[in-house]
Amino acid sequence: MERVAIVLAAGRGERLGSSEPKAFVEVAGHPVLEHSARALAAAPSVDAVLPVLPAGMLDGAESLRAAWDLDTVLLDPINGGKTRQQSVYNAVRWLLEYQPAVCWVWVHDAARCFVSAEDAERVLAAAAKTGAALPVIPIHETVKRVVSGHVSQTEDRRELFLAQTPQVFRLEILREALDKAARDHVQGTDCASLVERLGVEVNVVDGRRENWKLTEAGDLDRAERQFAESRQ
Ligand code: C5P
């Protein structure tokens, strides 16, 4: 086993307004986490999927395996941490200890349940050169930097992009980035930002607007509609 997709599902998803963790909310009859895991498992380069779940939700490991019947190996889920970064760190440390042959990882937000196997392959190919890559989409709106209620600057939007997942890294590079972030007390909102701090070149590929992240109340209806349209 050399290439593992880490699927992050340990967030509480409070903004979504659901009583259960966001990744367990059902869309089109299946948990968001299952949609993401299934898409990544279908990528030929993915050897295994590693779910990262909230504390107290590991009991379902066997039932997950039975219910999903994935195209690839489903590793026993592990516990996430308080922050997204801590959840990634838990997964990376677990892989280094228990799956020492792993050299590449995808880090994916389960909440981006419209990810495709093709996304996973495209980002891996882009990461091959430098050891790190992510999908991005251009920004069409004008972006203002606002400080204390006043515009301090208008950014050049031609240079601005939105970061998506799955992001792909050489496991060793991601470990180094997480170690350094911990030493420096830095919390990043994605993994690529931590790898950038190492001075490693991070490649980009075209993301897809359809691969958006379920975040707020109202997103569930939008996701249901998108699944319905994709089936027509
Ligand atoms: O909160 P945010 O939308 O940025 O979360 C992105 C992804 O990271 C979600 O899929 C969520 O489940 C996961 N996450 C996690 N552990 C945390 C916080 C978020 O695995 N402590």
Side-chain angles (χ1 to χ4, degrees), residues 30-199:
H30 297 274
V32 163
L33 167 63
E34 181 181 342
H35 289 293
S36 286
R38 191 173 294 286
L40 295 171
S45 300
V46 170
D47 294 330
V49 171
L50 175 61
V52 183
L53 305 185
M57 295 201 72
L58 292 188
D59 290 354
E62 269 314 308
S63 54
L64 283 187
R65 193 174 284 115
W68 294 359
D69 188 22
L70 294 186
D71 293 344
T72 190
V73 175
L74 178 64
L75 294 166
D76 276 332
I78 61 162
N79 269 328
K82 280 212 177 80
T83 62
R84 181 188 188 280
Q85 187 168 314
Q86 190 59 52
S87 294
V88 177
Y89 214 176
N90 289 3
V92 165
R93 283 196 285 223
W94 187 89
L95 287 171
L96 289 167
E97 188 166 353
Y98 297 106
Q99 296 289 341
V102 173
C103 47
W104 288 98
V105 288
W106 291 258
V107 180
H108 182 65
D109 294 334
R112 291 185 190 274
C113 58
F114 293 99
V115 64
S116 69
E118 204 275 327
D119 292 333
E121 294 295 340
R122 205 171 58 252
V123 186
L124 177 67
K129 241 196 226 161
T130 63
L134 79 154
V136 296
I137 52 175
I139 290 182
H140 296 319
E141 289 86 355
T142 298
V143 179
K144 305 283 184 189
R145 185 174 296 279
V146 176
V147 179
S148 307
H150 298 282
V151 175
S152 71
Q153 201 174 323
T154 299
E155 303 292 343
D156 182 352
R157 69 182 181 193
R158 291 169 303 181
E159 291 185 351
L160 295 177
F161 294 81
L162 298 173
Q164 297 189 325
T165 70
Q167 302 187 348
V168 177
F169 307 98
R170 264 192 194 288
L171 183 58
E172 199 44 44
I173 290 177
L174 184 56
R175 184 198 57 80
E176 218 181 298
L178 287 160
D179 285 348
K180 179 169 166 53
R183 277 197 308 273
D184 300 346
H185 305 287
V186 165
Q187 278 290 330
T189 47
D190 74 348
C191 296
S193 60
L194 307 180
V195 171
E196 291 153 31
R197 297 183 70 249
L198 291 178

Side-chain angles (χ1 to χ4, degrees), residues 1-21:
M1 185 179 300
E2 293 180 3
R3 293 175 300 262
V4 171
I6 299 167
V7 186
L8 296 174
R12 297 169 62 99
E14 279 156 353
R15 284 168 294 177
L16 201 62
S18 159
S19 55
E20 55 195 335

